[in-house]
């Protein structure tokens, strides 16, 4: 953190001292450094759900391994495989062992004989059972894991990428420079659209394998078509670049696409591509990106109708056939100022 | 009313069949205003290489064209248009219908994969900021025929759809 702040400081100072510096035009000195913040999918961002289970203290510590062995055979935790069988409360407290899930409507208190009636577990060494709230699902992120472990010891298969992204360590300075440059295309397109009376929102599609910008466009809902939001424009511009497309953008020169190179193998729609959006998309656009198999979406600022973090989190739903990664905050300052600034030159 | 709905749905089903014969997802729809068809649509994703070209989006474009040709205000026309569609609109199309402020949708079968009128999300009636108006739905018209066509499509198409195309491209490199 500190190192990056220092890196930014002199750069910003130089830009302030050299008002003619063209490279600094987009990012004004007033803009704080931006961060690409991972927008977690729904399941990953939720609080840990709890479910009741029965546990019992192990009064004879020497019986622990036998009890665990017999319980694992007789009462495998098939619905709660992420839970550890035993927990140590610490100090002089006895160990506690998980007996079985309690089901949706648990009776207040049960005896060992009621819970383990078939004699497959020798209850010697066990104390009176009690109800405990345990995590219902395996934790998916470190914050979820830490919360889950406060209720009952839980296994955690850490997703390295998610943890890196949450810690802000996923992108190198070079990555960030490229991301900023791609977003600048979207910001510029938004400004040029605004000059034509369009909603000031822009978008750019990039092939991350080559770094090539495949399509740049702005919102056309006030002109060409009421449903042509910036993301929809870019989806169609990519289609144009693949020899398809549904609309003509002749009246909107800031909406452009890279013509395909002859003989170049083209992917299916937007498979594998990144989309840069100056602001969080609406539900129509977010679902259009699911249909288009986009790989990642980077946006500048959240919007009240947004569905990639603000309202729904449409990008990471298990019940849809495609999921994509979402990051917000890219070039946040310039994106936020769109529509608030006097018409650009 | 019932008889008219049956008639419109019959037309929509024939368009879905046409889509099936052209290798597109078999969804057909009509936009009806004052007892007149202003827009017809079937899925055109493969032709346009644009995954948003669902039947509803194609039909919306036709209604807009009709408004331009007849010098009618699209807002007034869409506010009195009924959509007849063989399958529950997906999340994207449901949002598009809200944005166009279409008041009523009559549809056939549920859309278990992408449905935006209750199956996956309830976009049709949700309280959404800055996303047009909610709309009414009447479900179940000729649902069996619509679902049979979808089943036929996914049986034929799914195993060799986009995945194999991508794989083929990758092999060229
Ligand atoms: Zn949108
Ligand atoms: Zn749709």
């Amino acid at each position: 953190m500190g190192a990056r702040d220092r890196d930014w400081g002199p750069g910003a100072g130089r830009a302030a001292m050299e008002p003619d510096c063209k490279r600094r035009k987009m990012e004004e000195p007033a803009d704080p450094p931006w961060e690409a913040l991972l927008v977690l999918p729904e399941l990953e961002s939720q609080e840990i759900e709890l479910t009741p289970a029965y546990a019992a203290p192990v009064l004879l510590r020497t019986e622990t391994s036998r009890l665990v062995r017999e319980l694992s055979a007789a009462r495998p935790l098939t619905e709660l495989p992420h839970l550890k069988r035993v927990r140590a409360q610490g100090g002089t407290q006895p160990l506690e062992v998980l007996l079985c899930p309690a089901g949706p409507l648990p009776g207040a208190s049960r005896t060992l004989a009621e819970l383990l009636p078939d004699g497959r577990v020798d209850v010697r060494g066990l104390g009176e059972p009690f109800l405990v709230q345990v995590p219902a699902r395996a934790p998916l992120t470190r914050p979820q894991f830490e919360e889950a472990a406060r209720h009952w010891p839980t296994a955690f298969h850490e997703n390295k990428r998610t943890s890196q992204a949450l810690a802000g360590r996923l992108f190198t300075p070079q990555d960030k420079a490229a991301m900023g440059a791609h977003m600048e295309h979207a910001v510029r397109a938004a400004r040029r659209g605004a000059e034509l009376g369009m909603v000031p929102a822009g978008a750019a599609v990039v092939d991350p394998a080559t770094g090539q910008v495949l399509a740049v466009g702005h919102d056309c809902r006030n002109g060409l078509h009421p449903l042509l939001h910036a993301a929809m424009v870019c989806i169609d511009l990519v289609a144009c670049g693949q020899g398809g497309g549904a609309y003509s953008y002749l009246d909107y020169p800031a909406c452009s696409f890279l013509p395909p190179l002859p003989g170049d193998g083209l992917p299916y729609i937007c498979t594998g591509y990144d989309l840069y959006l100056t602001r969080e998309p609406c539900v129509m656009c977010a679902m259009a990106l699911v249909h288009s198999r986009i790989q990642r979406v980077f946006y500048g600022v959240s919007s009240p109708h947004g569905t990639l973090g603000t309202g729904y989190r449409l990008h990471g739903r298990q019940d849809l056939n495609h999921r994509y990664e979402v990051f917000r905050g890219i070039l946040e300052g310039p994106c936020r100022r769109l529509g608030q600034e006097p018409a650009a030159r | 009313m019932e008889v008219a709905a049956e008639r419109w749905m019959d037309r929509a089903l024939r368009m879905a069949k046409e889509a099936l014969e052209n290798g597109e997802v078999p969804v057909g729809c009509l936009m009806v205003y004052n007892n007149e068809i202003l827009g017809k649509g079937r899925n055109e994703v493969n032709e346009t290489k644009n995954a948003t070209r669902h039947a509803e989006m194609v039909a919306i474009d036709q209604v807009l064209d009709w408004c331009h040709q007849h010098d009618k205000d699209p807002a007034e026309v869409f506010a009195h248009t009924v959509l007849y569609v063989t399958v529950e609109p997906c999340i994207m199309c449901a949002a598009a219908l809200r944005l166009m402020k279409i008041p009523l949708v009559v549809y056939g079968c549920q859309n278990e994969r992408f449905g935006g009128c209750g199956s996956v999300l309830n976009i049709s009636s949700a309280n959404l900021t800055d996303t047009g108006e909610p709309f009414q739905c009447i479900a179940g018209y000729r649902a069996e025929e619509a679902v049979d066509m979808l089943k036929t499509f996914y049986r034929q198409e799914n195993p060799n759809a986009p995945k194999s195309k991508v794989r083929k491209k990758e092999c060229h490199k």
Side-chain angles (χ1 to χ4, degrees), chain A residues 300-315:
Chain A
V301 288
S302 302
S303 57
H305 58 267
T307 47
L308 296 182
T310 299
Y312 303 101
R313 291 167 188 254
L314 214 63
H315 58 294

Side-chain angles (χ1 to χ4, degrees), chain A residues 225 236 242 245 247 269 305, chain B residues 48-50 53 61 129-130:
Chain A
H225 191 293
D236 197 48
Q242 296 173 348
Y247 302 98
I269 42 180
H305 58 267
Chain B
T48 59
K49 301 179 191 291
N50 178 333
R53 299 305 290 165
D61 285 5
T129 311
D130 202 12

Side-chain angles (χ1 to χ4, degrees), chain A residues 112-332:
Chain A
L112 286 173
E114 283 173 324
L115 290 171
L116 306 167
D118 51 14
R120 291 177 65 194
V121 179
D122 178 356
V123 299
R124 190 160 41 94
L126 279 178
E128 276 307 296
F130 59 94
L131 268 176
V132 59
Q133 296 291 325
V134 297
R137 283 187 290 104
L140 299 167
T141 63
R142 188 153 280 280
Q144 283 186 342
F145 166 63
E146 283 162 8
E147 195 199 330
R150 278 198 289 275
H151 297 277
W152 193 272
T154 306
F156 177 43
H157 302 288
E158 185 167 16
N159 181 323
K160 280 272 157 53
R161 194 174 160 75
T162 301
S163 290
Q164 272 187 312
L166 286 174
R169 285 197 307 262
L170 196 56
F171 300 112
T172 65
Q174 293 93 311
D175 292 335
K176 283 188 71 185
M179 286 152 63
H182 293 143
M183 187 63 94
E184 284 184 9
H185 285 287
V187 171
R188 256 182 252 123
R191 288 187 183 145
R192 290 194 53 196
E195 287 169 31
L196 299 173
M198 300 296 123
V199 171
V205 177
V206 176
D207 181 352
T210 61
Q212 268 184 324
V213 179
L214 303 175
V216 178
H218 57 71
D219 201 291
C220 291
R221 79 182 77 175
N222 290 346
L224 186 52
H225 191 293
L227 297 178
L228 282 177
H229 299 181
M232 300 295 273
V233 168
C234 264
I235 288 169
D236 197 48
L237 287 167
V238 169
C240 292
Q242 296 173 348
Y247 302 98
S248 161
Y249 301 88
L250 287 176
D251 295 337
Y252 303 93
C255 298
S256 59
F257 58 88
L258 192 73
L261 298 170
D264 206 14
L266 289 168
Y268 177 73
I269 42 180
C270 296
T271 305
Y273 292 164
D274 290 347
L275 176 70
Y276 289 80
L277 284 173
T278 56
R279 64 180 192 185
E280 188 185 358
C282 74
V283 63
M284 172 182 71
C285 292
M287 188 62 196
L289 294 166
V290 172
H291 287 316
S292 300
R293 316 277 172 92
I294 203 87
Q295 179 174 298
R296 296 186 296 184
V297 171
F298 299 89
Y299 66 81
V301 288
S302 302
S303 57
H305 58 267
T307 47
L308 296 182
T310 299
Y312 303 101
R313 291 167 188 254
L314 214 63
H315 58 294
R317 292 181 62 100
Q318 303 295 313
D319 53 1
L320 294 175
N321 69 337
H322 177 74
R323 286 165 281 282
Y324 50 86
E325 269 188 335
V326 176
F327 297 88
R328 66 180 166 87
I330 292 83
L331 232 55
E332 194 174 7

Side-chain angles (χ1 to χ4, degrees), chain B residues 31-67:
Chain B
M31 297 255 180
V32 178
Y33 170 77
N34 275 346
N35 226 22
E36 187 187 343
I37 298 172
L38 300 193
K40 291 191 286 188
R42 65 166 179 81
N43 199 300
E44 292 180 357
V45 169
N46 293 344
E47 287 166 58
T48 59
K49 301 179 191 291
N50 178 333
T52 72
R53 299 305 290 165
H54 289 188
E56 296 93 324
M57 304 297 260
V58 172
I60 286 171
D61 285 5
Q62 292 186 6
V63 176
L64 283 167
D65 285 345
W66 184 92
C67 290

